[in-house]
Amino acid sequence: MTSSPATATTTGSGSAATGSTSLSATPAQLWKRTRGFVIALLVLLVGGLATVALHSGSRHGALDPGSADPDGSRALAELLTERGVTVEAVTTLDGALSAYGPDSTLLVTDPDLLTRSQQVRLADATAHAGGRTVLIAAGPPSLPALAPGVRAADAAGVTARTPQCAYPAARRAGGADMGGVTYESEAAGTFRCYPARSSPALLVVPRPGGETVLLGSPDILVNRRLAHEGNASLALQLLGSRAHLVWYLPSLSDPSSTGDDRDGTGGGDADPSPGTGSGAGGSDQDPGAGEGPGQDDEVGFFDLIPSGWLWGTLQLAVAAGLAAVWRGRRFGPLVTENLPVAVHASEATEGHARLYRKADARDRAADLLREAARSRLAPLVGVSPRDAHSPDVLVPALSPRLPAGGDPAALLFGRPPADDTALVRLADQLDALEREVRTS
């Protein structure tokens, strides 16, 4: 019966030694640690693939005149065709400029996607051509070149609004779903319609022989809203007043976005814009070329990322942080539990000694030896435990109990030993001092 602790200790230490021969995790342990992350990743992957499969049918993109999706514009394109308007969809700047003329309307669905040189070429081509240019949700990246003197104001939500202006097309259409980007301009003869937050969401700026129309939101052009309010009437009047409509869908694959940025004006040998009086292709005197930080600046990478993706990334980061807190170490005191085996004090002492020796912590070991000796000596000489570590109290109480010439102060409160031999000598001297006090 007396050997059971030792047996338990030996068995426990033996099994511990057997189980700790390798610090590498087994495949089962790795799977247990990472299975939650792997399962969550698979769920996200399957959900993404399912979403893509469900929405990959007939979708051709927002504002595409050939798309029957809710955000497409096929319904409007068919209505324009029925009224005798030729709708020509293009995805390159060269195609748009070659098709544009004085009897044309040019619709640019995403002017902010154009590079600086493309904006300059487009502005040159439309400045004196006499047609109408409609810009959808143009912002600070494109306004200086395509609509000089116009500034983007605060954005507003899209809702039914009244025109509150004298522009004939707006007055005939009446209320429409307007909002998005709002604009400010001090140019004379400008029509400011459908105000939102005191700034108009539809701005019509006259130019020689034509006009530039800035529409803060594309909602009146898309299939899902075309039948609301006066959206169809306003859209047909803005895009169908001329016999030819050039529906320009800017694309990142447009070859004119690279290679023509050498002088910021397009730099081509041929003039890509018939009817342009100023010669967009060969003129170096560009009124818009001096505006902006550079003549060949391109749209930044983050400008091409939809805002929904940025917000989604932020939400994922917050979710990951909450998951880390949830799965991390729980706050509060540690939970005590019974040890699986009995550990003798001598074994714990030897373990501490090995750790101190491995770290060369002789100073810490000496402090522990001296502190323990002071704690045992203090009650033997009548010193309270509170003053046991005070040299002014403990040393005078010890001196009468020691032979003449003894120096307990250096022994109990001295400097740390310089090497292991000195540490062993200190331990022996402390034992001798305690024996001397006990037998005196």
Side-chain angles (χ1 to χ4, degrees), residues 311-356:
W311 283 111
T313 303
L314 177 61
Q315 292 175 4
L316 287 176
V318 173
L322 294 176
V325 173
W326 170 56
R327 295 296 296 172
R329 182 186 295 275
R330 289 174 172 81
F331 301 107
L334 297 176
V335 178
T336 58
E337 59 179 338
N338 296 327
L339 294 176
V341 294
V343 179
H344 295 291
S346 59
E347 295 181 5
T349 302
E350 290 179 4
H352 287 155
R354 292 191 188 98
L355 292 175
Y356 288 140

Side-chain angles (χ1 to χ4, degrees), residues 36-329:
F37 174 77
V38 173
I39 292 174
L41 186 62
L42 288 176
V43 170
L44 288 175
L45 181 60
V46 172
L49 292 176
T51 302
V52 171
L54 291 175
H55 294 82
S56 61
S58 59
R59 183 173 180 83
H60 296 86
L63 290 180
D64 191 329
S67 172
D69 274 7
D71 290 328
S73 299
R74 181 175 177 179
L76 177 58
E78 291 183 352
L79 289 176
L80 290 168
T81 302
E82 291 177 359
R83 284 158 176 75
V85 178
T86 303
V87 179
E88 183 177 354
V90 296
T91 58
T92 64
L93 179 61
D94 291 338
L97 297 183
S98 62
Y100 181 73
D103 60 341
S104 301
T105 299
L106 174 61
L107 172 65
V108 185
T109 60
D110 194 353
D112 289 350
L113 193 61
L114 301 176
T115 64
R116 178 63 181 173
S117 64
Q118 289 178 310
Q119 295 170 11
V120 170
R121 290 182 59 193
L122 184 60
D124 280 346
T126 58
H128 303 282
R132 172 184 290 170
T133 302
V134 181
L135 306 176
I136 305 297
S142 60
L143 284 176
L146 300 181
V150 178
R151 301 177 303 279
D154 295 335
V158 176
T159 186
R161 305 182 189 275
T162 55
Q164 301 183 30
C165 68
Y167 188 56
R171 291 179 63 86
R172 287 191 292 266
D177 293 335
M178 300 293 292
V181 183
T182 60
Y183 301 98
E184 297 177 353
S185 176
E186 305 299 333
T190 298
F191 291 100
R192 302 168 180 84
C193 304
Y194 300 98
R197 296 184 180 178
S198 72
S199 298
L202 175 63
L203 195 71
V204 182
V205 182
R207 66 170 191 266
E211 59 188 11
T212 299
V213 179
L214 293 107
L215 193 60
S217 168
D219 288 72
I220 67 169
L221 311 179
V222 298
N223 297 328
R224 59 185 172 86
R225 285 184 180 263
L226 192 62
H228 297 179
E229 301 289 336
N231 295 350
S233 175
L234 182 59
L236 289 172
Q237 293 181 80
L238 292 178
L239 303 182
S241 62
R242 290 165 172 78
H244 186 212
L245 170 62
V246 181
W247 199 299
Y248 178 27
L249 297 160
S251 170
L252 292 176
S253 60
D254 185 357
S256 62
S257 64
T258 58
D260 292 336
D261 293 350
R262 291 182 296 274
D263 59 358
T265 61
D269 295 333
D271 183 3
S273 55
T276 302
S278 61
S283 174
D284 292 333
Q285 301 298 325
D286 174 25
E291 301 179 13
Q295 295 180 349
D296 55 358
D297 293 343
E298 296 188 359
V299 179
F301 172 75
F302 290 101
D303 296 331
L304 304 178
I305 301 177
S307 59
W309 286 89
L310 298 178
W311 283 111
T313 303
L314 177 61
Q315 292 175 4
L316 287 176
V318 173
L322 294 176
V325 173
W326 170 56
R327 295 296 296 172
R329 182 186 295 275

